[in-house]
Amino acid sequence: MHIPSTGYSIYHSNGVFAQLQAFIEERYPTHSIVVLVDDNTFELCLPVVAGYSDSIANAEVIEIPSGEANKTLENVQHIWESLTGLGIDRNTLLINLGGGLVSDMGGFAASTFKRGIPFINIPTSLLAMVDASVGGKTGFDFNGIKNHIGLFTNPQAVFVDPVFLNSLPERELYSGFAEMIKHALIADAGLWAELKNINPTNADDVARYIPRSIEIKNTLVTSDPFDNAARKALNFGHTFGHAIESYFIGADNELLHGEAIAIGMVCESFVAVEKGLITPTVLKEIEELIATHFSFAALDEYDEEAIMVLMGQDKKNSSGNINMALIAGIGSCQTNIAVGADEIKKALHYCKALSY
Ligand SMILES: NC(=O)c1ccc[n+]([C@@H]2O[C@H](COP(=O)([O-])OP(=O)(O)OC[C@H]3O[C@@H](n4cnc5c(N)ncnc54)[C@H](O)[C@@H]3O)[C@@H](O)[C@H]2O)c1
Ligand SMILES: [Zn+2]
Protein backbone atom coordinates (compact mmCIF):
# COMPACT_ATOMS: atom_id res chain seq x y z
CA MET A 1 0.00 0.00 0.00
CA HIS A 2 1.20 3.47 -0.90
CA ILE A 3 -0.10 6.69 0.69
CA PRO A 4 1.02 9.95 -0.96
CA SER A 5 1.94 12.77 1.42
CA THR A 6 3.47 16.23 1.07
CA GLY A 7 6.26 15.57 -1.44
CA TYR A 8 6.95 12.03 -0.24
CA SER A 9 5.19 8.70 0.09
CA ILE A 10 4.42 6.29 2.87
CA TYR A 11 4.87 2.65 1.82
CA HIS A 12 3.16 0.04 3.96
CA SER A 13 3.32 -3.73 3.61
CA ASN A 14 4.82 -6.89 5.03
CA GLY A 15 8.30 -7.18 3.55
CA VAL A 16 8.33 -3.53 2.46
CA PHE A 17 12.14 -3.47 2.70
CA ALA A 18 12.59 -4.96 -0.75
CA GLN A 19 10.90 -1.76 -1.96
CA LEU A 20 13.20 0.27 0.26
CA GLN A 21 16.25 -1.25 -1.44
CA ALA A 22 14.81 -0.45 -4.89
CA PHE A 23 13.99 3.10 -3.75
CA ILE A 24 17.55 3.70 -2.52
CA GLU A 25 19.08 2.28 -5.70
CA GLU A 26 16.87 4.41 -7.90
CA ARG A 27 16.91 7.68 -6.00
CA TYR A 28 20.25 7.63 -4.17
CA PRO A 29 22.60 5.47 -6.26
CA THR A 30 25.74 7.38 -5.26
CA HIS A 31 24.80 8.49 -1.73
CA SER A 32 26.57 7.21 1.38
CA ILE A 33 24.01 5.56 3.64
CA VAL A 34 24.00 6.07 7.42
CA VAL A 35 21.51 4.34 9.70
CA LEU A 36 20.47 5.89 13.00
CA VAL A 37 19.31 3.43 15.65
CA ASP A 38 18.89 3.26 19.41
CA ASP A 39 20.26 0.36 21.46
CA ASN A 40 17.07 -1.71 21.06
CA THR A 41 16.52 -1.14 17.37
CA PHE A 42 20.22 -1.83 16.73
CA GLU A 43 19.78 -5.27 18.21
CA LEU A 44 16.23 -6.15 17.16
CA CYS A 45 15.44 -4.24 13.95
CA LEU A 46 18.65 -3.54 12.06
CA PRO A 47 19.29 -7.24 11.25
CA VAL A 48 15.74 -7.54 9.86
CA VAL A 49 16.15 -4.64 7.41
CA ALA A 50 19.73 -5.61 6.57
CA GLY A 51 18.41 -9.04 5.54
CA TYR A 52 16.44 -7.39 2.74
CA SER A 53 18.64 -4.47 1.83
CA ASP A 54 22.33 -4.51 0.92
CA SER A 55 22.43 -0.73 1.23
CA ILE A 56 21.43 -1.05 4.89
CA ALA A 57 23.65 -4.07 5.52
CA ASN A 58 26.66 -2.07 4.29
CA ALA A 59 25.71 1.25 5.90
CA GLU A 60 27.52 3.12 8.66
CA VAL A 61 25.56 3.00 11.91
CA ILE A 62 25.10 5.72 14.53
CA GLU A 63 23.55 4.69 17.85
CA ILE A 64 21.83 6.81 20.45
CA PRO A 65 20.60 5.58 23.84
CA SER A 66 16.89 4.67 24.06
CA GLY A 67 14.41 6.40 26.36
CA GLU A 68 12.68 9.78 26.38
CA ALA A 69 15.21 11.11 28.92
CA ASN A 70 17.76 10.85 26.09
CA LYS A 71 15.82 13.04 23.66
CA THR A 72 18.33 15.78 24.32
CA LEU A 73 20.51 18.34 22.63
CA GLU A 74 23.54 16.27 23.77
CA ASN A 75 22.32 13.32 21.71
CA VAL A 76 21.55 15.50 18.69
CA GLN A 77 25.10 16.76 19.06
CA HIS A 78 26.29 13.14 19.21
CA ILE A 79 24.59 12.53 15.83
CA TRP A 80 26.20 15.67 14.30
CA GLU A 81 29.60 14.68 15.72
CA SER A 82 29.29 11.12 14.43
CA LEU A 83 28.35 12.35 10.96
CA THR A 84 31.32 14.70 11.06
CA GLY A 85 33.60 11.90 12.27
CA LEU A 86 32.46 9.71 9.37
CA GLY A 87 33.51 12.48 7.02
CA ILE A 88 29.97 12.73 5.74
CA ASP A 89 29.16 15.23 3.00
CA ARG A 90 25.76 16.27 1.68
CA ASN A 91 25.68 13.29 -0.67
CA THR A 92 24.44 11.21 2.25
CA LEU A 93 21.10 9.64 3.13
CA LEU A 94 20.22 9.13 6.79
CA ILE A 95 17.86 6.26 7.60
CA ASN A 96 16.04 6.66 10.91
CA LEU A 97 15.34 3.14 12.14
CA GLY A 98 13.44 3.30 15.39
CA GLY A 99 10.56 4.75 17.30
CA GLY A 100 9.53 8.39 17.51
CA LEU A 101 12.64 9.26 19.48
CA VAL A 102 14.91 8.20 16.61
CA SER A 103 12.81 9.80 13.85
CA ASP A 104 12.30 13.06 15.77
CA MET A 105 16.00 13.48 16.61
CA GLY A 106 17.34 11.97 13.40
CA GLY A 107 15.07 14.10 11.22
CA PHE A 108 16.18 17.21 13.10
CA ALA A 109 19.88 16.31 13.00
CA ALA A 110 19.74 15.47 9.27
CA SER A 111 17.87 18.65 8.37
CA THR A 112 20.33 20.89 10.18
CA PHE A 113 23.57 19.07 9.24
CA LYS A 114 25.37 21.05 6.51
CA ARG A 115 22.03 22.83 5.90
CA GLY A 116 20.24 19.55 5.35
CA ILE A 117 20.80 16.00 4.13
CA PRO A 118 17.88 13.77 3.06
CA PHE A 119 16.42 11.20 5.43
CA ILE A 120 14.02 8.25 5.39
CA ASN A 121 11.95 7.02 8.32
CA ILE A 122 11.51 3.34 9.10
CA PRO A 123 9.26 3.34 12.17
CA THR A 124 9.70 0.35 14.45
CA SER A 125 7.25 1.16 17.25
CA LEU A 126 3.48 1.23 16.80
CA LEU A 127 3.42 4.86 17.86
CA ALA A 128 5.98 5.83 15.25
CA MET A 129 4.18 3.81 12.54
CA VAL A 130 0.81 5.50 13.01
CA ASP A 131 2.01 8.89 14.15
CA ALA A 132 5.59 10.11 14.68
CA SER A 133 7.11 9.02 11.35
CA VAL A 134 4.56 10.98 9.31
CA GLY A 135 3.91 14.71 9.26
CA GLY A 136 7.31 16.36 9.37
CA LYS A 137 7.63 17.36 13.02
CA THR A 138 11.14 16.75 14.36
CA GLY A 139 13.11 17.93 17.37
CA PHE A 140 14.08 17.21 20.95
CA ASP A 141 13.15 18.02 24.55
CA PHE A 142 14.77 21.07 26.11
CA ASN A 143 14.71 22.58 29.60
CA GLY A 144 12.30 19.85 30.68
CA ILE A 145 9.81 20.79 27.98
CA LYS A 146 8.77 18.22 25.42
CA ASN A 147 9.76 18.89 21.82
CA HIS A 148 10.69 22.45 22.75
CA ILE A 149 13.22 22.82 19.95
CA GLY A 150 12.44 21.49 16.50
CA LEU A 151 11.70 21.88 12.84
CA PHE A 152 9.05 20.98 10.32
CA THR A 153 10.95 18.90 7.81
CA ASN A 154 9.81 15.97 5.70
CA PRO A 155 11.46 12.63 5.03
CA GLN A 156 12.05 11.42 1.47
CA ALA A 157 9.85 8.42 2.24
CA VAL A 158 8.46 6.35 5.09
CA PHE A 159 8.58 2.53 5.00
CA VAL A 160 6.21 0.79 7.41
CA ASP A 161 6.39 -2.94 8.09
CA PRO A 162 4.35 -4.30 11.01
CA VAL A 163 6.92 -7.08 11.49
CA PHE A 164 8.58 -4.95 14.15
CA LEU A 165 5.53 -5.13 16.40
CA ASN A 166 6.53 -8.71 17.22
CA SER A 167 9.50 -7.57 19.32
CA LEU A 168 7.85 -4.46 20.74
CA PRO A 169 7.20 -4.61 24.52
CA GLU A 170 3.49 -4.72 25.45
CA ARG A 171 3.62 -1.36 27.17
CA GLU A 172 4.86 0.20 23.92
CA LEU A 173 2.04 -1.45 21.98
CA TYR A 174 -0.46 0.16 24.34
CA SER A 175 1.32 3.49 23.97
CA GLY A 176 0.90 3.43 20.18
CA PHE A 177 -2.65 2.19 20.55
CA ALA A 178 -3.46 5.44 22.39
CA GLU A 179 -2.66 7.42 19.23
CA MET A 180 -4.85 5.05 17.19
CA ILE A 181 -7.69 5.72 19.62
CA LYS A 182 -7.05 9.44 19.17
CA HIS A 183 -7.22 9.17 15.37
CA ALA A 184 -10.53 7.32 15.65
CA LEU A 185 -12.00 9.80 18.13
CA ILE A 186 -11.15 12.87 16.06
CA ALA A 187 -11.96 11.50 12.61
CA ASP A 188 -13.54 8.07 12.25
CA ALA A 189 -16.42 6.70 14.33
CA GLY A 190 -16.25 3.43 12.37
CA LEU A 191 -12.62 2.91 13.36
CA TRP A 192 -13.52 3.68 16.98
CA ALA A 193 -16.17 0.94 16.93
CA GLU A 194 -13.57 -1.54 15.61
CA LEU A 195 -10.81 -0.54 18.03
CA LYS A 196 -13.20 -1.06 20.94
CA ASN A 197 -13.18 -4.76 20.15
CA ILE A 198 -9.51 -5.52 19.64
CA ASN A 199 -6.76 -6.62 21.95
CA PRO A 200 -3.94 -4.05 21.73
CA THR A 201 -1.36 -6.64 22.77
CA ASN A 202 -2.16 -8.80 19.75
CA ALA A 203 0.20 -7.45 17.08
CA ASP A 204 -1.78 -8.99 14.21
CA ASP A 205 -5.04 -7.44 15.42
CA VAL A 206 -3.42 -4.05 15.74
CA ALA A 207 -1.58 -4.26 12.41
CA ARG A 208 -4.87 -4.47 10.47
CA TYR A 209 -5.75 -0.92 11.51
CA ILE A 210 -2.35 0.70 10.94
CA PRO A 211 -2.99 1.84 7.33
CA ARG A 212 -6.29 3.54 8.25
CA SER A 213 -4.67 5.22 11.22
CA ILE A 214 -1.80 6.53 9.06
CA GLU A 215 -4.34 7.79 6.51
CA ILE A 216 -6.16 9.84 9.13
CA LYS A 217 -2.97 11.53 10.28
CA ASN A 218 -1.73 12.00 6.73
CA THR A 219 -4.99 13.58 5.55
CA LEU A 220 -4.81 16.14 8.35
CA VAL A 221 -1.14 16.98 7.87
CA THR A 222 -1.34 17.28 4.10
CA SER A 223 -4.28 19.65 4.40
CA ASP A 224 -2.40 21.79 6.94
CA PRO A 225 1.35 21.01 7.00
CA PHE A 226 2.32 23.80 9.42
CA ASP A 227 -0.28 23.27 12.10
CA ASN A 228 -2.36 26.39 11.53
CA ALA A 229 -5.81 24.83 11.19
CA ALA A 230 -7.11 21.29 10.58
CA ARG A 231 -3.94 19.60 11.80
CA LYS A 232 -4.54 20.93 15.28
CA ALA A 233 -7.15 18.18 15.69
CA LEU A 234 -4.21 15.80 16.19
CA ASN A 235 -3.51 17.66 19.39
CA PHE A 236 -6.59 16.18 21.03
CA GLY A 237 -5.50 14.72 24.38
CA HIS A 238 -2.10 16.34 24.07
CA THR A 239 -2.51 19.64 25.91
CA PHE A 240 -3.07 17.79 29.16
CA GLY A 241 -1.12 14.77 27.93
CA HIS A 242 2.14 16.56 27.12
CA ALA A 243 2.09 18.43 30.44
CA ILE A 244 1.44 15.21 32.37
CA GLU A 245 4.17 13.42 30.39
CA SER A 246 6.68 16.25 31.00
CA TYR A 247 5.81 16.34 34.68
CA PHE A 248 6.76 12.70 35.18
CA ILE A 249 9.93 12.67 33.02
CA GLY A 250 12.75 11.18 35.09
CA ALA A 251 10.40 10.11 37.93
CA ASP A 252 10.05 6.48 39.05
CA ASN A 253 6.59 6.39 37.57
CA GLU A 254 7.60 7.99 34.26
CA LEU A 255 4.85 7.62 31.68
CA LEU A 256 5.15 6.62 28.05
CA HIS A 257 3.90 9.20 25.58
CA GLY A 258 0.73 7.25 24.76
CA GLU A 259 0.02 6.53 28.41
CA ALA A 260 0.05 10.26 29.15
CA ILE A 261 -2.05 10.99 26.07
CA ALA A 262 -4.62 8.39 27.16
CA ILE A 263 -5.09 10.28 30.44
CA GLY A 264 -5.09 13.55 28.47
CA MET A 265 -7.90 12.32 26.22
CA VAL A 266 -10.12 11.64 29.22
CA CYS A 267 -9.27 15.06 30.75
CA GLU A 268 -10.08 16.76 27.46
CA SER A 269 -13.24 14.72 26.91
CA PHE A 270 -14.31 15.95 30.34
CA VAL A 271 -13.66 19.54 29.19
CA ALA A 272 -15.67 18.77 26.03
CA VAL A 273 -18.63 17.83 28.24
CA GLU A 274 -18.22 21.07 30.21
CA LYS A 275 -18.24 23.00 26.93
CA GLY A 276 -21.39 21.17 25.78
CA LEU A 277 -19.58 19.54 22.86
CA ILE A 278 -20.26 15.94 23.89
CA THR A 279 -22.68 14.29 26.30
CA PRO A 280 -21.67 12.66 29.59
CA THR A 281 -22.62 9.33 27.98
CA VAL A 282 -19.96 9.78 25.30
CA LEU A 283 -17.43 10.70 28.00
CA LYS A 284 -18.27 7.48 29.84
CA GLU A 285 -17.85 5.44 26.65
CA ILE A 286 -14.38 6.94 26.08
CA GLU A 287 -13.42 6.64 29.72
CA GLU A 288 -14.46 2.99 29.74
CA LEU A 289 -12.27 1.98 26.79
CA ILE A 290 -9.30 3.99 28.04
CA ALA A 291 -9.61 2.65 31.60
CA THR A 292 -9.63 -0.90 30.19
CA HIS A 293 -6.17 -0.44 28.75
CA PHE A 294 -4.54 2.39 30.71
CA SER A 295 -4.02 3.42 34.32
CA PHE A 296 -4.77 6.78 35.88
CA ALA A 297 -2.62 5.93 38.88
CA ALA A 298 0.03 8.53 38.02
CA LEU A 299 -2.46 11.27 38.85
CA ASP A 300 -2.56 10.01 42.39
CA GLU A 301 0.66 11.88 42.93
CA TYR A 302 0.87 15.11 41.03
CA ASP A 303 1.34 18.78 41.56
CA GLU A 304 -1.59 20.55 39.99
CA GLU A 305 0.20 23.90 39.80
CA ALA A 306 3.27 22.37 38.15
CA ILE A 307 1.14 20.66 35.52
CA MET A 308 -0.70 23.92 34.84
CA VAL A 309 2.60 25.78 34.40
CA LEU A 310 3.71 23.10 31.94
CA MET A 311 0.44 23.48 30.05
CA GLY A 312 1.21 27.17 29.73
CA GLN A 313 4.25 26.15 27.63
CA ASP A 314 2.14 24.35 25.05
CA LYS A 315 3.01 25.43 21.53
CA LYS A 316 -0.67 25.66 20.60
CA ASN A 317 -1.32 28.55 22.99
CA SER A 318 -1.83 32.09 21.81
CA SER A 319 -2.52 35.40 23.58
CA GLY A 320 -2.45 33.87 27.07
CA ASN A 321 -5.29 31.41 26.44
CA ILE A 322 -4.80 27.69 26.65
CA ASN A 323 -6.19 26.50 23.35
CA MET A 324 -7.32 22.94 22.90
CA ALA A 325 -8.60 20.64 20.24
CA LEU A 326 -11.69 18.98 21.68
CA ILE A 327 -13.89 16.27 20.27
CA ALA A 328 -17.40 17.30 19.31
CA GLY A 329 -18.75 13.75 19.14
CA ILE A 330 -17.02 10.50 18.28
CA GLY A 331 -15.22 10.99 14.97
CA SER A 332 -15.35 14.78 14.99
CA CYS A 333 -13.14 17.48 16.42
CA GLN A 334 -13.13 21.25 16.93
CA THR A 335 -9.91 23.22 17.29
CA ASN A 336 -8.83 26.47 18.96
CA ILE A 337 -11.17 26.23 21.92
CA ALA A 338 -9.98 28.51 24.72
CA VAL A 339 -10.05 26.74 28.06
CA GLY A 340 -9.72 28.50 31.41
CA ALA A 341 -7.67 27.56 34.48
CA ASP A 342 -10.76 26.52 36.48
CA GLU A 343 -11.91 24.11 33.79
CA ILE A 344 -8.41 22.63 33.65
CA LYS A 345 -8.32 22.10 37.42
CA LYS A 346 -11.75 20.52 37.39
CA ALA A 347 -10.70 18.09 34.66
CA LEU A 348 -7.51 17.12 36.54
CA HIS A 349 -9.59 16.47 39.67
CA TYR A 350 -12.04 14.40 37.68
CA CYS A 351 -9.27 12.20 36.27
CA LYS A 352 -7.54 11.96 39.61
CA ALA A 353 -10.73 10.46 41.03
CA LEU A 354 -10.46 7.72 38.38
CA SER A 355 -7.11 6.68 39.87
CA TYR A 356 -8.75 5.20 42.99
N1 LIG B 1 6.95 13.87 15.28
C1 LIG B 1 5.73 13.60 15.63
O1 LIG B 1 4.77 13.96 14.97
C2 LIG B 1 5.50 12.81 16.87
C3 LIG B 1 4.23 12.27 17.13
C4 LIG B 1 4.07 11.49 18.25
C5 LIG B 1 5.14 11.27 19.11
N2 LIG B 1 6.34 11.82 18.83
C6 LIG B 1 7.50 11.56 19.71
O2 LIG B 1 7.84 10.19 19.60
C7 LIG B 1 8.38 9.74 20.85
C8 LIG B 1 7.65 8.52 21.27
O3 LIG B 1 7.77 7.55 20.26
P1 LIG B 1 7.88 6.02 20.61
O4 LIG B 1 6.75 5.64 21.45
O5 LIG B 1 8.12 5.31 19.36
O6 LIG B 1 9.15 6.01 21.58
P2 LIG B 1 10.64 5.50 21.43
O7 LIG B 1 11.24 5.85 20.15
O8 LIG B 1 11.30 5.96 22.67
O9 LIG B 1 10.47 3.91 21.43
C9 LIG B 1 9.92 3.27 22.56
C10 LIG B 1 10.79 2.11 23.05
O10 LIG B 1 10.60 1.01 22.20
C11 LIG B 1 11.86 0.55 21.72
N3 LIG B 1 11.59 -0.02 20.42
C12 LIG B 1 11.27 0.63 19.29
N4 LIG B 1 10.98 -0.25 18.32
C13 LIG B 1 11.14 -1.47 18.85
C14 LIG B 1 10.95 -2.79 18.37
N5 LIG B 1 10.50 -3.03 17.13
N6 LIG B 1 11.19 -3.83 19.19
C15 LIG B 1 11.59 -3.62 20.47
N7 LIG B 1 11.76 -2.40 20.99
C16 LIG B 1 11.54 -1.34 20.19
C17 LIG B 1 12.75 1.75 21.78
O11 LIG B 1 14.10 1.40 21.82
C18 LIG B 1 12.28 2.41 23.05
O12 LIG B 1 12.86 1.77 24.16
C19 LIG B 1 8.24 10.88 21.81
O13 LIG B 1 9.49 11.51 21.92
C20 LIG B 1 7.23 11.80 21.15
O14 LIG B 1 7.41 13.14 21.48
C21 LIG B 1 6.55 12.57 17.73
ZN1 LIG C 1 1.14 12.00 20.46
Side-chain angles (χ1 to χ4, degrees), residues 279-286:
T279 62
T281 316
V282 172
L283 169 63
K284 283 282 163 219
E285 186 182 333
I286 295 167

Side-chain angles (χ1 to χ4, degrees), residues 190-211:
L191 179 63
W192 167 256
E194 305 252 354
L195 294 184
K196 272 169 56 171
N197 296 318
I198 72 163
N199 172 4
T201 63
N202 180 324
D204 291 339
D205 263 13
V206 168
R208 270 188 284 136
Y209 300 100
I210 290 175

Side-chain angles (χ1 to χ4, degrees), residues 232-309:
K232 289 185 179 179
L234 292 165
N235 202 42
F236 172 62
H238 282 59
T239 312
F240 279 89
H242 268 157
I244 293 168
E245 183 183 9
S246 296
Y247 180 72
F248 288 104
I249 286 180
D252 289 346
N253 52 349
E254 189 168 285
L255 295 172
L256 297 182
H257 178 72
E259 291 170 339
I261 275 22
I263 299 174
M265 285 192 282
V266 176
C267 292
E268 293 180 24
S269 299
F270 176 86
V271 177
V273 173
E274 295 285 293
K275 298 277 187 197
L277 293 168
I278 61 170
T279 62
T281 316
V282 172
L283 169 63
K284 283 282 163 219
E285 186 182 333
I286 295 167
E287 198 180 299
E288 218 173 274
L289 179 70
I290 290 182
T292 308
H293 301 309
F294 298 91
S295 162
F296 293 87
L299 286 187
D300 200 14
E301 215 185 295
Y302 75 109
D303 176 342
E304 184 176 278
E305 289 305 320
I307 289 183
M308 298 210 25
V309 168

Side-chain angles (χ1 to χ4, degrees), residues 1 3 18 23 34 51 53 59 63 74 76 95 100 120 147 156 180 189 197 205 228 231 241 245 247 276 305:
M1 187 181 169
I3 305 172
F23 184 90
V34 178
S53 162
E63 186 179 318
E74 287 72 23
V76 172
I95 313 263
I120 283 176
N147 303 326
Q156 300 302 309
M180 295 173 83
N197 296 318
D205 263 13
N228 297 315
R231 182 178 182 154
E245 183 183 9
Y247 180 72
E305 289 305 320

